[in-house]
Amino acid sequence: MAETSTEGRGTIEALSLVPKAVARQSMKDFKSDQEVRWCPGCGDYAILAAVQGFMPELGLAKENIVFVSGIGCSSRFPYYMNTYGMHSIHGRAPAIATGLASSRPDLSVWVVTGDGDALSIGGNHLIHALRRNVNLKILLFNNRIYGLTKGQYSPTSEVGKITKSTPMGSLDAPFNPVSLAIGAEASFVARTVDSDRKHLTEMLRQAAAHPGTALLEIYQNCNIFNDGAFDVLKDRQSAEEAVIRLEHGQPIRFGPDNARGVVRDARTGDLEVVTVTPENEADVLVHDAHAASPTNAFALSRLADPDTLQGTPIGVFRSVDRPVYDTQMADQLDAAIEQNGKGDLATLLAGGDTWTVVG
Amino acid sequence: MTSQVSSPAEQADGAVVGEQRKPAGRKDVRRLDRVIIRFAGDSGDGMQLTGDRFTSETAAFGNDLSTLPNFPAEIRAPAGTLPGVSSFQLHFADHDILTPGDAPNVLVAMNPAALKANINDLPRGAEIIVNTDEFTKRAMQKVGYAASPLEDGSLDGYNVHPVPLTTLTVEALKEFELTRKEAERSKNMFALGLLSWMYHRPTEGTETFLRSKFAKKPDIAAANIAAFRAGWNFGETTEDFAVSYEVAPATQAFPVGTYRNISGNLALAYGLVAASRQADLPLFLGSYPITPASDILHELSKHKNFGVRTFQAEDEIAGIGAALGAAFGGSLAVTTTSGPGVALKSETIGLAVSLELPLLIVDIQRGGPSTGLPTKTEQADLLQAMYGRNGEAPVPVIAPRTPADCFEAALEAARIALTYRTPVFLLSDGYMANGSEPWRIPELDELPDLRVQFAQGPNHTLDDGTEVFWPYKRDQQTLARPWAIPGTPGLEHRIGGIEKQDGTGNISYDPANHDLMVRTRQAKVDGIDVPDIEVDDPHGARTLVLGWGSTYGPITAAVRRLRAAGESIAQAHLRHLNPFPGNLGTVLRRYDKVVVPEMNLGQLATLIRAKYLVDARSYNQVNGMPFKAEQLATALKEAIDG
């Protein structure tokens, strides 16, 4: 059941079928010859650099790595990776990647998507990829706005947001991507922030090591249409107050001098933030990312104030072992051969009742 | 007793063996050249199974045959109602036949609704076997019979056999420990036994089938077999059935070989497995359940030991998306659907056009628009397949012509997709998909070689001498681009739906490049190697009938009738609808009149008129059913004379 160590957990299992690189790799090996065309100052640059910087650590043959994206600013990502890649159509990347990953267990398949791509037009494919637990690593760049179409509200925009398409304020209640993923039976859900290279890299590491679908929500700044959306989580001083760093096996504490902590309200069963005192210190919740029940992970995903982002947890909310779809699909093929022998076409075609006409 | 003698028009379907009495014991045996039987009952009465079994017996006996299952979209429509009637028509003969037949010689009606729904299709003199047990006042009122049609004289022109099928079945099964309701369920097997006696069908196959179907419930198997035998014995002993019929095996109709009966969807599924083997590529099916295509998903999911991966997606879009992903990875990728599904897949088909990856899109057409008539046939997706995408997005289109032909059509679709690196439409329809006919099982060495060569290394030298891989550098002959699959070192590349620079495949917004790429994609499809269309024109006719898809059977039957009546008419049938065969324009211009019968409002005719400026005339039917040969013959006669 639940394991206790997170470091390198599952690495061998998750990537065992992907061939290893022959030579030592560097970040440069993963940069394509294409000019990067995001707006200057876009958070996507930091994420690209972090991914390119992390890839050599995996040590996989880069011809066995594929990045698949949908449509939107973030979905240009594959063009900049010197791996195989497909820039597909709006919202469909998880479906396309599912076909690729389930037919090619020797590939490491990554999906790059945005809040509009993954949660609006492609919401159906996202939840079904998560419940199937296909061996995909989904990087969801969440900037809470539509960038490529020049600034309409997205499914993660806050209620009342004034945009080009909502001059009197958005009426839509937003999705919480982490809550949605947990509800969709995701086996791995994490959140990070574009500007925190170290944390982002650690989340990539854990996602890569996870067997099955890993969803990593990356808060990403769109400096043109939604600038500063996550400043409260980035500014050193405000971040200390606002960010809860989840670490498996550790008490969930944050704030200056770790003065704040997350406890369960005995009356409602819900989680709440309290000031830690010697009396309640023992009640502070110890984070268990591998808990079989998604209850605490879900409750943690609801802690943050959706408008102010105060109390935003980052890190791995949930990481549990579940059967992996593509592995099981391959197993069924093997089992069918074991049971019935390798398919013989002549026998198949001549099956059923036959009769012979002689000359 | 009225005997079944083929009408002169029907005799034109082929050589006729005249009626001949043969005394067999105390009952007469008459010889027929062909018979059309329709089993009709409630959708819960097991009529499809009964029809399937009679078909298998008939196939095993060696007749030529053609079937037409016809059932409601509802799984269990309200019992005893007209919309709930499910039927199965079978035409079998001692010679080569082409259609399930226009009008049944025999109707088995399991209830008043089945009688009412089908009586208008029966010619006078036809035999009707009715289950009298179901003709209660209430059941008759339900379908609007004020008086019993069995007694009011309205069936006087027919040869009616009133049989208490339910009572006889229950009686025959009284030794089994079954409730009355359970015993009644076997009445279809009683009817099958009776018909099997009437037409001298072999019975071993059905008994073996029942034993295997109910292997886990031996009591039910035994009860069904008992009912089946009781039906046979009833025919043999009762006075009401004084005559039985022989339809000799169609020894002359078939070339030498081993045969089996096969439906269109099964043949199509086998064709895909065969294409996978011939291409030496794993088969990947991404699909979402939809009538009448789901049977292909069911069938392929049974063949995992052939390396076949079937993926039941969350929706139609994911079905084709997963298939396209698998195609990128080097699988022979397929998606199966019907018209509404094609509408949802259109954007991904456009992506496949842009990515230039092989992909088969199998559309089992049904009545439209929207949900339309899910279980009825139509050919109205042709223009959707041709043009139903944004931008200039040419896709090759091919269509099988009969159930068995779906096998070869699948191989041909795979050939085009793999050779030209393109999505390909395969347009079958509900009639072909569910209908069946004998199929000569091919030898494996008759199958085409579909092997492909994946890109292995650089294909271009830059000015500075550097060897590079260009994903959109084309084969000069086919204009196909290289298929470089992930896992191939040194060929890492990125492709997408944004316009690409010729050669490099990099994003390009250059106007001249876009113009070139649009024209090149079109030229690639236009240049697909397609065999010339063959014309059947023994007498130098002035009128040509041109068809496509499943109208082949009815059109050919109609043409035979006309020729037998001394008319002169030429016939040609298209397999390739995009691109058209190179000689099609020449062929069309050779005739004074071109008639195009279609189960739509003239879609092929529109294409023909646009491309060749030929005054093609449409003859259309969109009632969810295949053309009847006689009606088509009349229409063609009018065209010849008009």
Side-chain angles (χ1 to χ4, degrees):
Chain A
M1 275 309 296
E3 293 176 50
T4 45
S5 145
T6 51
E7 268 311 296
R9 178 178 160 274
T11 302
I12 294 164
E13 192 193 335
L15 300 168
S16 62
L17 298 173
V18 185
K20 300 287 176 287
V22 182
R24 207 179 152 76
Q25 297 165 328
S26 73
M27 183 172 175
K28 205 170 125 254
D29 292 321
F30 288 93
K31 290 184 174 174
S32 79
D33 59 356
Q34 296 298 294
E35 182 195 0
V36 183
R37 291 188 190 171
W38 288 308
C39 307
C42 176
D44 290 357
Y45 284 95
I47 304 171
L48 178 64
V51 172
Q52 288 170 335
F54 164 69
M55 280 291 154
E57 186 186 309
L58 284 179
L60 303 175
K62 69 184 166 79
E63 64 270 18
N64 287 74
I65 300 172
V66 185
F67 279 82
V68 182
S69 65
I71 291 293
C73 293
S74 59
S75 288
R76 299 296 178 96
F77 198 96
Y79 289 116
Y80 310 134
M81 295 294 298
N82 191 17
T83 63
Y84 282 86
M86 187 195 292
H87 177 211
S88 73
I89 43 179
H90 210 6
R92 316 304 171 203
I96 291 169
T98 292
L100 180 62
S102 55
S103 61
R104 291 287 305 272
D106 61 327
L107 302 179
S108 170
V109 182
W110 297 69
V111 170
V112 178
T113 182
D115 40 319
D117 194 54
L119 301 172
S120 205
I121 194 166
N124 199 33
H125 307 307
L126 179 75
I127 58 175
H128 288 277
L130 292 171
R131 81 168 162 92
R132 284 194 191 99
N133 208 29
V134 189
N135 193 15
L136 301 175
K137 311 305 154 202
I138 302 174
L139 310 181
L140 196 171
F141 296 18
N142 182 6
N143 56 19
R144 309 188 78 179
I145 198 76
Y146 279 17
L148 198 61
T149 48
K150 301 191 176 177
Q152 300 82 12
Y153 73 104
S154 90
T156 56
S157 295
E158 54 277 24
V159 173
K161 192 168 190 72
I162 306 286
T163 71
K164 280 193 183 131
S165 60
T166 51
M168 295 175 72
S170 156
L171 303 173
D172 294 25
F175 266 138
N176 176 328
V178 171
S179 301
L180 181 77
I182 293 169
E185 307 291 343
S187 60
F188 181 101
V189 191
R191 178 190 287 147
T192 188
V193 182
D194 57 2
S195 53
D196 188 343
R197 173 79 170 260
K198 189 160 167 258
H199 189 265
L200 171 51
T201 303
E202 175 57 26
M203 291 302 104
L204 291 171
R205 188 175 290 128
Q206 293 201 32
H210 177 74
T213 309
L215 179 89
L216 176 58
E217 180 188 24
I218 307 172
Y219 281 157
Q220 172 249 324
N221 190 44
C222 171
N223 58 322
I224 304 297
F225 296 108
N226 201 20
D227 195 24
F230 304 104
D231 275 1
V232 66
L233 309 177
K234 296 180 175 195
D235 173 79
R236 222 187 147 85
Q237 211 158 11
S238 62
E240 199 174 18
E241 288 280 357
V243 175
I244 304 174
R245 288 181 175 260
L246 297 175
E247 285 183 43
H248 177 76
Q250 297 297 318
I252 307 173
R253 295 181 66 163
F254 67 107
D257 304 320
N258 270 345
R260 320 266 284 157
V262 175
V263 298
R264 185 182 307 285
D265 181 321
R267 199 170 38 82
T268 65
D270 208 352
L271 299 185
E272 61 176 354
V273 172
V274 296
T275 301
V276 180
T277 63
E279 290 74 41
N280 68 10
E281 190 168 5
D283 298 336
V284 174
L285 207 66
V286 174
H287 183 47
D288 181 5
H290 310 322
S293 162
T295 307
N296 282 353
F298 187 82
L300 285 168
S301 78
R302 312 303 296 177
L303 266 186
D305 183 309
D307 295 323
T308 66
L309 299 184
Q310 288 298 321
T312 296
I314 65 169
V316 178
F317 286 75
R318 180 164 171 78
S319 172
V320 293
D321 282 335
R322 262 183 54 205
V324 178
Y325 185 84
D326 29 312
T327 309
Q328 290 194 303
M329 191 185 240
D331 289 349
Q332 283 197 342
L333 264 56
D334 292 342
I337 290 171
E338 206 166 287
Q339 284 165 21
N340 310 318
K342 207 165 159 29
D344 179 72
L345 185 60
T347 309
L348 175 70
L349 300 186
D353 301 333
T354 63
W355 68 97
T356 303
V357 175
V358 290
Chain B
M1 158 140 295
T2 311
S3 57
Q4 295 156 356
V5 186
S6 298
S7 70
E10 285 161 346
Q11 286 172 17
D13 263 6
V16 174
V17 180
E19 186 192 341
Q20 159 190 332
R21 283 163 202 266
K22 216 167 50 168
R26 58 189 185 83
K27 294 217 177 187
D28 274 1
V29 175
R30 295 186 198 170
R31 193 135 186 229
L32 303 174
D33 63 314
R34 61 190 203 104
V35 176
I36 301 163
I37 298 177
R38 186 182 291 177
F39 297 93
D42 236 1
S43 34
D45 280 346
M47 291 297 97
Q48 301 303 320
L49 175 71
T50 309
D52 275 342
R53 284 317 316 161
F54 198 92
T55 303
S56 290
E57 293 173 359
T58 297
F61 186 68
N63 295 122
D64 195 6
L65 67 90
S66 175
T67 68
L68 177 64
N70 186 13
F71 45 88
E74 292 78 14
I75 303 302
R76 291 278 187 276
T81 63
L82 292 173
V85 174
S86 169
S87 71
F88 187 104
Q89 184 165 315
L90 166 73
H91 183 188
F92 61 102
D94 66 0
H95 58 276
D96 155 34
I97 53 167
L98 297 148
T99 73
D102 290 358
N105 309 112
V106 185
L107 172 69
V108 178
M110 301 298 280
N111 65 9
L115 178 68
K116 182 143 194 183
N118 292 286
I119 188 73
N120 289 339
D121 293 340
L122 261 60
R124 294 274 152 175
E127 301 204 42
I128 304 174
I129 298 168
V130 287
N131 180 10
T132 50
D133 287 329
E134 297 293 324
F135 279 69
T136 61
K137 200 169 176 190
R138 189 150 172 267
M140 288 188 286
Q141 275 172 351
K142 207 175 209 174
V143 296
Y145 279 128
S148 170
L150 307 180
E151 291 158 11
D152 68 2
S154 62
L155 299 179
D156 282 354
Y158 303 93
N159 184 14
V160 180
H161 303 274
V163 183
L165 279 168
T166 312
T167 310
L168 289 168
T169 304
V170 171
E171 185 68 16
L173 301 184
K174 66 175 182 236
E175 282 166 27
F176 292 83
E177 287 187 10
L178 298 171
T179 64
R180 186 180 164 89
K181 204 161 186 178
E182 284 170 333
E184 281 181 6
R185 276 199 205 118
S186 296
K187 62 181 183 287
N188 62 333
M189 287 300 113
F190 188 97
L192 179 64
L194 174 58
L195 271 287
S196 299
W197 169 81
M198 267 179 88
Y199 292 96
H200 296 219
R201 301 291 96 182
T203 56
E204 305 79 32
T206 292
E207 297 199 2
T208 308
F209 166 85
L210 289 169
R211 267 188 286 272
S212 129
K213 182 177 169 71
F214 297 109
K216 288 182 184 155
K217 296 176 185 166
D219 287 358
I220 302 290
N224 275 297
I225 290 169
F228 177 62
R229 287 181 182 167
W232 174 283
N233 293 336
F234 178 76
E236 181 72 25
T237 51
T238 186
E239 290 299 322
D240 190 42
F241 292 90
V243 184
S244 67
Y245 303 91
E246 274 184 354
V247 179
T251 43
Q252 305 299 314
F254 299 114
V256 171
T258 302
Y259 287 79
R260 65 182 285 175
N261 189 55
I262 200 160
S263 71
N265 272 351
L266 185 59
L268 212 159
Y270 283 179
L272 294 172
V273 175
S276 158
R277 176 189 185 270
Q278 295 306 102
D280 198 17
L281 297 175
L283 188 67
F284 185 98
L285 172 69
S287 184
Y288 187 74
I290 186 169
T291 302
S294 303
D295 282 341
I296 304 171
L297 168 62
H298 304 161
E299 183 62 32
L300 288 176
S301 66
K302 291 184 207 162
H303 303 302
K304 296 189 194 325
N305 61 330
F306 284 82
V308 175
R309 283 179 160 83
T310 54
F311 172 67
Q312 183 177 315
E314 59 270 25
D315 58 29
E316 294 281 357
I317 299 171
I320 189 173
L324 186 60
F328 185 57
S331 288
L332 174 61
V334 186
T335 191
T336 49
T337 188
S338 188
V342 173
L344 288 163
K345 294 176 196 293
S346 297
E347 189 190 20
T348 311
I349 298 170
L351 178 64
V353 169
S354 179
L355 297 181
E356 302 193 41
L357 285 170
L359 177 65
L360 304 186
I361 304 135
V362 176
D363 175 4
I364 314 296
Q365 298 166 96
R366 66 189 215 187
S370 188
T371 306
L373 300 171
T375 60
K376 310 294 179 196
T377 198
E378 207 160 284
Q379 293 183 299
D381 294 349
L382 175 58
L383 293 184
Q384 178 177 228
M386 284 291 292
Y387 299 122
R389 289 165 293 283
N390 63 306
E392 297 287 353
V395 175
V397 181
I398 76 165
R401 54 173 64 175
T402 70
D405 186 45
C406 290
F407 180 82
E408 278 180 40
L411 284 158
E412 174 65 354
R415 175 190 73 88
I416 293 173
L418 293 168
T419 307
Y420 297 91
R421 313 281 147 79
T422 175
V424 174
F425 259 106
L426 179 55
L427 293 184
S428 175
D429 63 39
Y431 167 45
M432 257 188 291
N434 291 321
S436 66
E437 65 175 352
W439 175 49
R440 189 185 67 79
I441 301 164
E443 299 294 334
L444 296 192
D445 58 14
E446 298 169 29
L447 304 180
D449 183 354
L450 299 176
R451 279 172 299 181
V452 291
Q453 182 67 55
F454 292 131
Q456 294 298 330
N459 60 353
H460 187 76
T461 309
L462 298 177
D463 290 344
D464 66 2
T466 317
E467 299 267 299
V468 292
F469 175 66
W470 276 14
Y472 278 78
K473 183 163 177 173
R474 294 168 190 282
D475 179 280
Q476 288 308 300
Q477 192 72 36
T478 60
L479 298 181
R481 75 176 193 88
W483 192 5
I485 64 168
T488 317
L491 306 192
E492 294 85 356
H493 65 282
R494 278 65 58 191
I495 54 178
I498 298 189
E499 186 60 283
K500 287 156 289 286
Q501 187 180 45
D502 182 36
T504 68
N506 292 330
I507 290 179
S508 168
Y509 300 119
D510 177 56
N513 177 75
H514 178 57
D515 189 273
L516 173 70
M517 291 297 275
V518 167
R519 290 174 196 278
T520 305
R521 285 187 287 260
Q522 184 67 51
K524 181 175 85 167
V525 172
D526 290 346
I528 289 171
D529 186 22
V530 160
D532 276 351
I533 191 168
E534 289 173 16
V535 185
D536 173 35
D537 186 7
H539 310 114
R542 292 174 56 210
T543 301
L544 172 75
V545 55
L546 177 73
W548 71 280
S550 74
T551 53
Y552 175 76
I555 292 175
T556 309
V559 165
R560 283 187 188 175
R561 285 169 192 235
L562 289 169
R563 287 183 187 158
E567 297 291 340
S568 188
I569 186 164
Q571 184 193 358
H573 208 78
L574 283 166
R575 174 188 286 302
H576 296 88
L577 295 140
N578 192 31
F580 285 130
N583 66 334
L584 183 58
T586 315
V587 165
L588 293 173
R589 278 185 277 274
R590 218 185 282 156
Y591 293 92
D592 296 344
K593 294 172 200 160
V594 176
V595 186
V596 185
E598 294 179 84
M599 295 186 289
N600 58 40
L601 292 184
Q603 301 196 2
L604 174 63
T606 300
L607 294 174
I608 296 290
R609 292 171 76 97
K611 187 166 169 76
Y612 300 106
L613 298 178
V614 166
D615 186 19
R617 300 181 198 185
S618 271
Y619 180 70
N620 310 115
Q621 171 182 300
V622 276
N623 63 359
M625 296 294 283
F627 284 111
K628 290 182 174 172
E630 175 146 11
Q631 156 208 359
L632 206 46
T634 307
L636 293 176
K637 175 78 169 75
E638 282 169 11
I640 293 169
D641 297 341

